[in-house]
Short mmCIF file of all heavy atoms in Angstrom, two decimals:
data_model
loop_
_atom_site.label_atom_id
_atom_site.label_comp_id
_atom_site.label_asym_id
_atom_site.label_seq_id
_atom_site.Cartn_x
_atom_site.Cartn_y
_atom_site.Cartn_z
N TYR A 1 10.43 4.71 -6.91
CA TYR A 1 9.48 4.32 -5.87
C TYR A 1 8.55 5.46 -5.45
O TYR A 1 7.76 5.31 -4.52
CB TYR A 1 10.23 3.81 -4.63
CG TYR A 1 10.94 2.50 -4.86
CD1 TYR A 1 12.30 2.46 -5.20
CD2 TYR A 1 10.27 1.28 -4.75
CE1 TYR A 1 12.96 1.26 -5.41
CE2 TYR A 1 10.92 0.08 -4.95
CZ TYR A 1 12.26 0.08 -5.29
OH TYR A 1 12.90 -1.13 -5.50
N ILE A 2 8.63 6.62 -6.12
CA ILE A 2 7.74 7.73 -5.79
C ILE A 2 6.30 7.32 -6.10
O ILE A 2 5.99 6.82 -7.17
CB ILE A 2 8.12 8.99 -6.57
CG1 ILE A 2 9.51 9.49 -6.15
CG2 ILE A 2 7.08 10.09 -6.37
CD1 ILE A 2 10.04 10.64 -6.99
N ASP A 3 5.42 7.54 -5.14
CA ASP A 3 4.03 7.15 -5.31
C ASP A 3 3.14 8.18 -4.61
O ASP A 3 3.35 8.49 -3.44
CB ASP A 3 3.79 5.76 -4.70
CG ASP A 3 2.38 5.26 -4.91
OD1 ASP A 3 2.09 4.78 -6.01
OD2 ASP A 3 1.57 5.36 -3.96
N ARG A 4 2.22 8.77 -5.36
CA ARG A 4 1.32 9.79 -4.83
C ARG A 4 2.12 10.93 -4.19
O ARG A 4 1.77 11.46 -3.16
CB ARG A 4 0.32 9.20 -3.83
CG ARG A 4 -0.63 8.20 -4.46
CD ARG A 4 -1.57 7.57 -3.45
NE ARG A 4 -2.44 8.56 -2.82
CZ ARG A 4 -3.31 8.29 -1.84
NH1 ARG A 4 -3.40 7.05 -1.39
NH2 ARG A 4 -4.06 9.24 -1.33
N GLY A 5 3.20 11.27 -4.85
CA GLY A 5 4.01 12.39 -4.39
C GLY A 5 4.82 12.12 -3.15
O GLY A 5 5.24 13.05 -2.46
N MET A 6 5.09 10.84 -2.85
CA MET A 6 5.81 10.50 -1.63
C MET A 6 6.91 9.49 -1.89
O MET A 6 6.74 8.58 -2.71
CB MET A 6 4.84 9.93 -0.59
CG MET A 6 3.76 10.91 -0.16
SD MET A 6 2.55 10.17 0.98
CE MET A 6 3.57 9.94 2.44
N LEU A 7 8.02 9.66 -1.19
CA LEU A 7 9.08 8.65 -1.18
C LEU A 7 8.76 7.63 -0.10
O LEU A 7 8.11 7.94 0.90
CB LEU A 7 10.42 9.31 -0.86
CG LEU A 7 11.48 9.31 -1.96
CD1 LEU A 7 10.97 10.13 -3.14
CD2 LEU A 7 12.80 9.89 -1.45
N PRO A 8 9.24 6.40 -0.25
CA PRO A 8 9.01 5.40 0.80
C PRO A 8 9.67 5.81 2.11
O PRO A 8 10.74 6.42 2.12
CB PRO A 8 9.66 4.13 0.24
CG PRO A 8 9.81 4.36 -1.22
CD PRO A 8 9.98 5.83 -1.39
N ASN A 9 9.03 5.45 3.19
CA ASN A 9 9.64 5.63 4.50
C ASN A 9 10.64 4.51 4.76
O ASN A 9 11.77 4.76 5.15
CB ASN A 9 8.58 5.64 5.59
CG ASN A 9 9.15 5.90 6.97
OD1 ASN A 9 10.10 6.68 7.11
ND2 ASN A 9 8.60 5.26 7.98
N VAL A 10 10.21 3.27 4.53
CA VAL A 10 11.07 2.13 4.85
C VAL A 10 10.75 0.97 3.94
O VAL A 10 9.60 0.76 3.54
CB VAL A 10 10.91 1.71 6.33
CG1 VAL A 10 9.49 1.26 6.64
CG2 VAL A 10 11.92 0.63 6.71
N PHE A 11 11.80 0.24 3.58
CA PHE A 11 11.64 -1.05 2.91
C PHE A 11 11.69 -2.12 3.99
O PHE A 11 12.64 -2.17 4.78
CB PHE A 11 12.75 -1.28 1.89
CG PHE A 11 12.69 -0.35 0.72
CD1 PHE A 11 13.35 0.87 0.75
CD2 PHE A 11 11.97 -0.67 -0.41
CE1 PHE A 11 13.30 1.75 -0.32
CE2 PHE A 11 11.91 0.19 -1.50
CZ PHE A 11 12.57 1.40 -1.45
N PRO A 12 10.68 -2.98 4.05
CA PRO A 12 10.68 -4.00 5.12
C PRO A 12 11.82 -4.99 4.96
O PRO A 12 12.41 -5.11 3.88
CB PRO A 12 9.31 -4.68 4.95
CG PRO A 12 8.93 -4.44 3.53
CD PRO A 12 9.52 -3.11 3.16
N ASP A 13 12.12 -5.69 6.06
CA ASP A 13 13.21 -6.67 6.05
C ASP A 13 12.97 -7.76 5.01
O ASP A 13 13.89 -8.30 4.41
CB ASP A 13 13.36 -7.30 7.43
CG ASP A 13 14.52 -6.67 8.20
OD1 ASP A 13 15.17 -5.78 7.65
OD2 ASP A 13 14.75 -7.08 9.35
N ARG A 14 11.72 -8.12 4.82
CA ARG A 14 11.40 -9.13 3.81
C ARG A 14 10.22 -8.63 2.99
O ARG A 14 9.28 -8.08 3.51
CB ARG A 14 11.06 -10.48 4.46
CG ARG A 14 12.25 -11.08 5.21
CD ARG A 14 11.96 -12.46 5.77
NE ARG A 14 13.07 -12.94 6.57
CZ ARG A 14 14.12 -13.57 6.08
NH1 ARG A 14 14.20 -13.80 4.78
NH2 ARG A 14 15.10 -13.98 6.87
N GLY A 15 10.29 -8.83 1.68
CA GLY A 15 9.24 -8.36 0.80
C GLY A 15 9.63 -7.08 0.10
O GLY A 15 10.55 -6.38 0.50
N GLU A 16 8.91 -6.75 -0.93
CA GLU A 16 9.29 -5.63 -1.79
C GLU A 16 8.38 -4.42 -1.63
O GLU A 16 8.62 -3.39 -2.22
CB GLU A 16 9.27 -6.10 -3.26
CG GLU A 16 10.38 -7.08 -3.61
CD GLU A 16 11.76 -6.47 -3.41
OE1 GLU A 16 11.96 -5.30 -3.76
OE2 GLU A 16 12.63 -7.17 -2.89
N THR A 17 7.28 -4.53 -0.88
CA THR A 17 6.33 -3.43 -0.79
C THR A 17 6.77 -2.45 0.28
O THR A 17 6.75 -2.77 1.48
CB THR A 17 4.92 -3.94 -0.46
OG1 THR A 17 4.54 -4.91 -1.44
CG2 THR A 17 3.92 -2.79 -0.46
N PRO A 18 7.17 -1.25 -0.10
CA PRO A 18 7.63 -0.29 0.89
C PRO A 18 6.46 0.37 1.62
O PRO A 18 5.32 0.34 1.16
CB PRO A 18 8.40 0.73 0.06
CG PRO A 18 7.77 0.67 -1.29
CD PRO A 18 7.31 -0.76 -1.47
N GLU A 19 6.76 0.99 2.74
CA GLU A 19 5.78 1.74 3.51
C GLU A 19 6.01 3.23 3.28
O GLU A 19 7.15 3.67 3.14
CB GLU A 19 5.89 1.39 4.99
CG GLU A 19 5.68 -0.10 5.28
CD GLU A 19 5.99 -0.47 6.72
OE1 GLU A 19 6.16 0.46 7.55
OE2 GLU A 19 6.09 -1.67 7.01
N TYR A 20 4.93 4.02 3.26
CA TYR A 20 5.02 5.43 2.89
C TYR A 20 4.63 6.38 4.02
O TYR A 20 4.28 7.52 3.78
CB TYR A 20 4.13 5.70 1.66
CG TYR A 20 4.72 5.18 0.38
CD1 TYR A 20 4.54 3.86 -0.02
CD2 TYR A 20 5.50 6.01 -0.44
CE1 TYR A 20 5.09 3.38 -1.19
CE2 TYR A 20 6.05 5.53 -1.62
CZ TYR A 20 5.85 4.21 -1.98
OH TYR A 20 6.41 3.75 -3.16
N ASN A 21 4.74 5.91 5.26
CA ASN A 21 4.33 6.75 6.39
C ASN A 21 5.42 7.74 6.79
O ASN A 21 6.05 7.66 7.83
CB ASN A 21 3.94 5.88 7.59
CG ASN A 21 5.05 4.95 8.04
OD1 ASN A 21 5.70 4.31 7.23
ND2 ASN A 21 5.28 4.88 9.33
N THR A 22 5.64 8.72 5.92
CA THR A 22 6.60 9.79 6.20
C THR A 22 6.19 11.05 5.46
O THR A 22 5.80 11.00 4.28
CB THR A 22 8.03 9.40 5.78
OG1 THR A 22 8.87 10.54 5.89
CG2 THR A 22 8.09 8.88 4.36
N VAL A 23 6.27 12.17 6.14
CA VAL A 23 5.96 13.45 5.51
C VAL A 23 7.23 14.16 5.05
O VAL A 23 7.19 14.99 4.14
CB VAL A 23 5.15 14.36 6.45
CG1 VAL A 23 5.93 14.69 7.72
CG2 VAL A 23 4.72 15.65 5.75
N ASP A 24 8.37 13.84 5.64
CA ASP A 24 9.58 14.62 5.37
C ASP A 24 10.58 13.96 4.44
O ASP A 24 11.42 14.64 3.86
CB ASP A 24 10.28 15.00 6.67
CG ASP A 24 10.57 13.81 7.57
OD1 ASP A 24 9.93 12.77 7.41
OD2 ASP A 24 11.44 13.95 8.46
N ALA A 25 10.52 12.63 4.26
CA ALA A 25 11.50 11.96 3.39
C ALA A 25 11.49 12.57 2.00
O ALA A 25 12.55 12.82 1.40
CB ALA A 25 11.20 10.46 3.31
N THR A 26 10.30 12.83 1.47
CA THR A 26 10.18 13.39 0.12
C THR A 26 10.79 14.78 0.05
O THR A 26 11.41 15.15 -0.96
CB THR A 26 8.70 13.45 -0.28
OG1 THR A 26 8.08 12.19 0.03
CG2 THR A 26 8.54 13.74 -1.75
N LEU A 27 10.63 15.56 1.10
CA LEU A 27 11.17 16.92 1.10
C LEU A 27 12.68 16.92 1.24
O LEU A 27 13.37 17.79 0.68
CB LEU A 27 10.51 17.73 2.22
CG LEU A 27 8.98 17.80 2.13
CD1 LEU A 27 8.41 18.58 3.31
CD2 LEU A 27 8.53 18.41 0.81
N TRP A 28 13.22 15.94 1.97
CA TRP A 28 14.69 15.79 2.02
C TRP A 28 15.24 15.37 0.65
O TRP A 28 16.41 15.65 0.35
CB TRP A 28 15.08 14.76 3.08
CG TRP A 28 15.05 15.29 4.48
CD1 TRP A 28 14.21 14.94 5.49
CD2 TRP A 28 15.93 16.28 5.04
NE1 TRP A 28 14.49 15.64 6.64
CE2 TRP A 28 15.55 16.47 6.39
CE3 TRP A 28 17.00 17.01 4.54
CZ2 TRP A 28 16.20 17.37 7.23
CZ3 TRP A 28 17.65 17.91 5.38
CH2 TRP A 28 17.26 18.09 6.70
N TYR A 29 14.42 14.74 -0.17
CA TYR A 29 14.83 14.36 -1.52
C TYR A 29 15.21 15.61 -2.33
O TYR A 29 16.21 15.61 -3.07
CB TYR A 29 13.69 13.60 -2.19
CG TYR A 29 13.99 12.94 -3.51
CD1 TYR A 29 15.09 12.11 -3.68
CD2 TYR A 29 13.14 13.13 -4.60
CE1 TYR A 29 15.33 11.47 -4.89
CE2 TYR A 29 13.37 12.50 -5.81
CZ TYR A 29 14.47 11.68 -5.95
OH TYR A 29 14.69 11.04 -7.16
#
């Protein structure tokens, strides 16, 4: 799910499109 150098912030309760509004999730990876 890495996209433009970012991990998803959250997967919504319904649907498959994740949101990427996080600066630190990728660095914790």
Side-chain angles (χ1 to χ4, degrees):
Y1 292 97
I2 295 173
D3 184 79
R4 296 177 63 184
M6 298 176 69
L7 246 64
N9 183 36
V10 62
F11 292 90
D13 260 359
R14 296 184 185 274
E16 290 299 319
T17 305
E19 301 171 12
Y20 285 85
N21 58 315
T22 172
V23 61
D24 53 340
T26 312
L27 303 178
W28 281 112
Y29 189 52

